[in-house]
Amino acid sequence: IALWDPPADLTMGDHVEITGEVSEWFGMTEIWPVESITVLSANHPMPAPHQLATGETDLERWEAVLVKYKNVTVTDPDLGWGEWLIDDGSGPVVVDDRFSYNYIPMMNQDLDHVIGPMNFSYGNFKVEPRFDADIGAVPMPPLSIFDIQHTDDPSGDSPYLGQTVTTHGVVTAVEPGNNHIFIQDGNGPWSGITLWAPDAELVIGDLVEVSGEVNEWYGLTEIWPVYSITVLNSGNQVPQP
């Protein structure tokens, strides 16, 4: 069960005795006001999270319980207000950012697990990861620029349109203001791609590893948003035109 504004500093692992009134806060059962809390002992191990399928619909009984979702995929990285969706193939569930973690969800990224207490707010049940270890990000294998760009579709759209990818290449051109950056891997057709990365500070000859989402901007295949850029080394020879 959840406590609202408890009059004590508590840490995970505390075993507590609570006196207070049971209330419903927009559908979330909680104890409020809390009249007293006594810490009986500390440093207890956390209960093992109960594993659920993301398509589970009877979530009322898991309210405020530590739950775990396994082998899920991010199906919407931005629902607004810090919320995002995961799905294990059985249906989606909402993930929220009520606690503190650094992970940034990326479209179609596979996650080994998502763990957290089950919350209810604004008409939806949602899992609340407490820290980064509650989100098991699975590294995506990198793709070549050729893989991302090559297509037989008459539209010219990338086969990875809308997906999050990681690739690498040598910077061949930097637009003034660093808005568009062009990178290339080798020579020949399908070997280059554009990054929309206004905050990146790159120079021609940098070999970079880039993670971001593949998008089509009025027919131009580009990586945007860019989630990360790592300069692997500098001073590389630019591919021959």
Side-chain angles (χ1 to χ4, degrees), residues 38-59:
T38 303
V39 178
L40 303 177
S41 55
N43 300 317
H44 291 267
M46 294 292 102
H50 184 86
Q51 187 169 327
L52 296 175
T54 58
E56 169 72 51
T57 57
D58 184 15
L59 294 177

Side-chain angles (χ1 to χ4, degrees), residues 6-25:
D9 291 327
L10 303 176
T11 60
M12 287 188 293
D14 285 349
H15 181 206
V16 296
E17 183 176 86
I18 304 154
T19 300
E21 184 177 329
V22 177
S23 301
E24 291 290 333
W25 180 256

Side-chain angles (χ1 to χ4, degrees), residues 17-232:
E17 183 176 86
I18 304 154
T19 300
E21 184 177 329
V22 177
S23 301
E24 291 290 333
W25 180 256
F26 295 99
M28 178 73 171
T29 305
E30 60 185 21
I31 296 179
W32 179 83
V34 176
E35 298 175 7
S36 67
I37 295 181
T38 303
V39 178
L40 303 177
S41 55
N43 300 317
H44 291 267
M46 294 292 102
H50 184 86
Q51 187 169 327
L52 296 175
T54 58
E56 169 72 51
T57 57
D58 184 15
L59 294 177
E60 177 68 29
R61 57 184 174 156
W62 301 113
E63 187 179 82
V65 175
L66 198 60
V67 298
K68 179 178 186 177
Y69 295 101
K70 281 283 292 178
N71 301 322
V72 298
T73 300
V74 178
T75 54
D76 190 329
D78 186 10
L79 294 173
W81 303 102
E83 297 180 357
W84 41 290
L85 280 183
I86 58 173
D87 197 328
D88 62 7
S90 64
V93 71
V94 178
V95 185
D96 196 17
D97 65 348
R98 184 168 187 169
F99 299 107
S100 178
Y101 55 83
N102 296 312
Y103 171 74
I104 298 174
M106 296 186 289
M107 185 68 182
N108 295 321
Q109 184 176 19
D110 293 328
L111 303 176
D112 176 74
H113 62 264
V114 176
I115 298 171
M118 183 64 70
N119 187 27
F120 184 86
S121 64
Y122 295 98
N124 284 306
F125 285 100
K126 53 200 72 172
V127 62
E128 304 279 1
R130 301 157 296 173
F131 28 67
D132 283 318
D134 277 345
I135 303 170
V138 178
M140 298 182 69
L143 298 170
S144 69
I145 295 175
F146 181 93
D147 291 333
I148 298 168
Q149 284 280 37
H150 181 263
T151 180
D152 295 322
D153 191 316
S155 70
D157 289 353
S158 167
Y160 290 92
L161 179 62
Q163 298 186 41
T164 298
V165 300
T166 298
T167 192
H168 67 272
V170 175
V171 175
T172 59
V174 179
E175 183 182 27
N178 284 358
N179 289 332
H180 279 105
I181 297 168
F182 297 77
I183 66 172
Q184 188 170 327
D185 179 21
N187 294 91
W190 316 109
S191 62
I193 197 165
T194 304
L195 317 177
W196 173 260
D199 296 327
E201 296 183 0
L202 302 175
V203 297
I204 294 173
D206 283 348
L207 175 63
V208 297
E209 182 176 81
V210 182
S211 292
E213 186 174 325
V214 178
N215 275 292
E216 297 289 338
W217 180 256
Y218 293 100
L220 176 66
T221 304
E222 62 181 17
I223 296 179
W224 177 84
V226 173
Y227 299 124
S228 67
I229 298 179
T230 302
V231 178
L232 302 178

